[in-house]
Amino acid sequence: MTKEYTLTVFTEHQTGMLSRVVSIFTRRYINIESLTTSKSSMPGIHRFTIVVNATEDVVRKLCGQLEKQVDVLKAFYDDNDEIVYQEIALYKIPTQKFMQGNRLEKLIRRHNAKVLEIEEEYIVVEKTGHADETEALLEALKEIGIYEFVRSGRVAIPRPMERLSKYLRQLELEAEETL
């Protein structure tokens, strides 16, 4: 059964890793719904957070293929119940819409969004949440008027303790035992 999975891929921080990681999905005709990269909690290690809709079998194979890449340390996958995740969205709204009563202010409060910047021509509003929440605010703002919209990729952290640290410690122990 196809469902949404979040892959977390830990790599060395090397030039070209993004291209190499994405090519594994492209070769298999798997669409990436969201992609975020950042440094991890471990120095020199980069973290890719990738959202796909696929079967668990396909996702398991993707992780295996990713781990075969040089400079990929480990790949994990989780379904949405196993992670804590958020996205951030920014909306640029005409300032004049704020001057037409308090409808827009109530809308922003109802969606737990906040105003980041007020300029003469526009106001920038920020909303963090799941994609359906940021999309709901977008749809509501379209009825009022909106100049621009941008949403980040997913950032996610697994509910279990950081598995990469445990994995690397296990490798160290195995290496010590073979010496």
Side-chain angles (χ1 to χ4, degrees):
M1 175 174 73
T2 299
K3 69 180 196 176
E4 190 172 79
Y5 287 95
T6 300
L7 285 78
T8 306
V9 183
F10 293 96
T11 71
E12 301 279 334
H13 188 41
Q14 301 293 328
T15 302
M17 282 307 301
L18 177 61
S19 176
R20 290 174 37 209
V21 167
V22 169
S23 71
I24 291 171
F25 293 83
T26 305
R27 285 194 305 258
R28 286 158 187 75
Y29 300 101
I30 297 172
N31 190 43
I32 294 174
E33 301 296 327
S34 170
L35 171 67
T36 305
T37 65
S38 68
K39 64 182 181 178
S40 74
S41 59
M42 302 176 81
I45 298 177
H46 213 64
R47 177 188 194 119
F48 290 76
T49 304
I50 305 166
V51 179
V52 297
N53 285 305
T55 65
E56 185 172 7
D57 187 51
V58 166
V59 172
R60 189 178 306 112
K61 288 176 183 174
L62 276 170
C63 287
Q65 289 297 307
L66 287 161
E67 289 176 354
K68 288 180 183 178
Q69 294 288 308
V70 174
D71 299 324
V72 171
L73 303 173
K74 188 69 177 161
F76 300 99
Y77 69 92
D78 298 288
D79 66 30
N80 289 344
D81 294 334
E82 299 170 318
I83 58 173
V84 176
Y85 63 98
Q86 291 286 305
E87 296 180 359
I88 184 171
L90 300 177
Y91 311 80
K92 188 184 285 184
I93 306 161
T95 301
Q96 67 184 18
K97 298 297 181 178
F98 269 90
M99 306 307 175
Q100 300 171 349
N102 61 359
R103 178 179 173 208
L104 189 54
E105 180 184 345
K106 286 181 179 180
L107 177 69
I108 290 169
R109 288 177 191 266
R110 187 169 54 248
H111 284 272
N112 294 317
K114 66 181 181 179
V115 174
L116 290 183
E117 187 169 309
I118 300 173
E119 296 293 332
E120 190 174 319
E121 294 178 27
Y122 62 86
I123 294 173
V124 176
V125 174
E126 171 193 324
K127 167 75 179 140
T128 58
H130 295 173
D132 59 331
E133 296 169 318
T134 58
E135 191 69 27
L137 179 54
L138 174 62
E139 292 305 313
L141 288 172
K142 282 181 180 177
E143 295 175 13
I144 295 170
I146 185 168
Y147 287 143
E148 290 184 56
F149 166 75
V150 63
R151 180 172 48 225
S152 71
R154 175 178 289 182
V155 291
I157 196 158
R159 293 189 191 283
M161 290 304 291
E162 189 168 343
R163 295 172 287 188
L164 181 63
S165 298
K166 290 179 183 177
Y167 173 75
L168 293 175
R169 271 196 302 271
Q170 180 183 348
L171 288 179
E172 284 177 1
L173 289 174
E174 290 171 6
E176 288 174 4
E177 288 175 4
T178 60
L179 294 177

